[in-house]
Amino acid sequence: MQDFQKGLGVGAQVKPRHYKVVAQYVPVSFDPENAYDISTVENDNDIQHGNLVAARWIKPPEKRAPGQSVAFLLISFLTAQDANKAITKGLYIASKHVPVHRDQEEPQRCAKCHKYDPPHLARDCKAIHETCAACASIHHKTAECAISNHDEFKCINCKARGHAAWEKSCPTYKQALHKLRARRPRDQLPSLPAG
């Protein structure tokens, strides 16, 4: 790769492809920013040193529930073989065997209007008001919503009560996910294709 990069000229960079998986129910005592913890995962799972290139919690630690003991971890491998081995056999992390699945792309939901179709970012949103993802109100932002009772949530997408716009049980989310999977059938394979 270095020879190829030199041939491209000054300033050119070739970035290696990383293969992402999700480790489930990982003890929160694991520190993905600690080189020793990463090295221990490589050793415990017979992964060549340096092939586990990155790890981070999917949900920020400050947003965890009080007393939460496990969380989901996004892991990037340098090779598809290591990622697929993790998917097939699971991983030992912080002395616990945890299941692993490939990272799946999810439908893009706007952070302003919370719509899936057409896919867009909040900065490109044409909606006049920011909508609350919890109760569908245009009078306050999601972070300012006073509703905490799940039964009182109202989805802006399907208009149903009992769930918020971010929930995967929403029929509109399921429809957007189905459309995304139809466009990318390779993503439905249980393992990661190499190359």
Side-chain angles (χ1 to χ4, degrees), residues 93-109:
I93 303 177
S95 301
K96 180 184 177 194
H97 187 258
V98 297
V100 176
H101 63 81
R102 72 181 284 178
D103 182 39
Q104 296 281 345
E105 185 180 351
E106 299 222 355
Q108 184 176 7
R109 179 174 52 87

Side-chain angles (χ1 to χ4, degrees), residues 20-72:
K20 295 179 181 178
V21 299
V22 175
Q24 303 174 71
Y25 313 110
V26 175
V28 296
S29 60
F30 176 76
D31 182 358
E33 296 179 15
N34 183 315
Y36 176 78
D37 281 5
I38 295 292
S39 181
T40 301
V41 171
E42 290 176 326
N43 291 337
D44 290 351
N45 295 283
D46 196 28
I47 297 165
Q48 184 176 333
H49 181 69
N51 278 6
L52 194 162
V53 293
R56 69 169 177 82
W57 296 112
I58 291 181
K59 182 194 271 186
E62 62 272 12
K63 293 190 176 182
R64 287 186 186 140
Q68 184 174 333
S69 61
V70 294
F72 284 28

Side-chain angles (χ1 to χ4, degrees), residues 104-117:
Q104 296 281 345
E105 185 180 351
E106 299 222 355
Q108 184 176 7
R109 179 174 52 87
C110 174
K112 182 178 177 186
C113 72
H114 301 285
K115 299 281 186 183
Y116 292 102
D117 249 347

Side-chain angles (χ1 to χ4, degrees), residues 7-187:
L8 289 176
V10 179
Q13 282 188 324
V14 177
K15 293 186 177 182
R17 177 176 179 186
H18 293 161
Y19 299 87
K20 295 179 181 178
V21 299
V22 175
Q24 303 174 71
Y25 313 110
V26 175
V28 296
S29 60
F30 176 76
D31 182 358
E33 296 179 15
N34 183 315
Y36 176 78
D37 281 5
I38 295 292
S39 181
T40 301
V41 171
E42 290 176 326
N43 291 337
D44 290 351
N45 295 283
D46 196 28
I47 297 165
Q48 184 176 333
H49 181 69
N51 278 6
L52 194 162
V53 293
R56 69 169 177 82
W57 296 112
I58 291 181
K59 182 194 271 186
E62 62 272 12
K63 293 190 176 182
R64 287 186 186 140
Q68 184 174 333
S69 61
V70 294
F72 284 28
L73 189 70
L74 182 67
I75 300 173
S76 297
F77 287 104
L78 194 56
T79 70
Q81 290 78 11
D82 285 326
N84 288 331
K85 185 167 108 177
I87 291 167
T88 304
K89 296 183 176 183
L91 289 171
Y92 286 94
I93 303 177
S95 301
K96 180 184 177 194
H97 187 258
V98 297
V100 176
H101 63 81
R102 72 181 284 178
D103 182 39
Q104 296 281 345
E105 185 180 351
E106 299 222 355
Q108 184 176 7
R109 179 174 52 87
C110 174
K112 182 178 177 186
C113 72
H114 301 285
K115 299 281 186 183
Y116 292 102
D117 249 347
H120 62 281
L121 298 172
R123 69 170 182 245
D124 304 318
C125 186
K126 306 247 188 289
I128 298 168
H129 303 285
E130 184 164 336
T131 304
C132 176
C135 71
S137 172
I138 59 168
H139 302 294
H140 62 263
K141 298 176 181 179
T142 306
E144 300 164 351
C145 188
I147 295 175
S148 58
N149 182 348
H150 192 266
D151 293 337
E152 293 177 25
F153 284 170
K154 181 179 179 186
C155 177
I156 187 63
N157 289 308
C158 71
K159 311 296 185 231
R161 291 207 174 271
H163 70 267
W166 63 76
E167 294 188 48
K168 293 182 179 181
S169 60
C170 175
T172 305
Y173 168 84
K174 290 178 181 179
Q175 189 176 33
L177 182 64
H178 178 74
K179 284 169 73 173
L180 179 65
R181 298 285 183 262
R183 285 195 310 268
R184 303 181 64 166
R186 229 177 127 165
D187 287 353

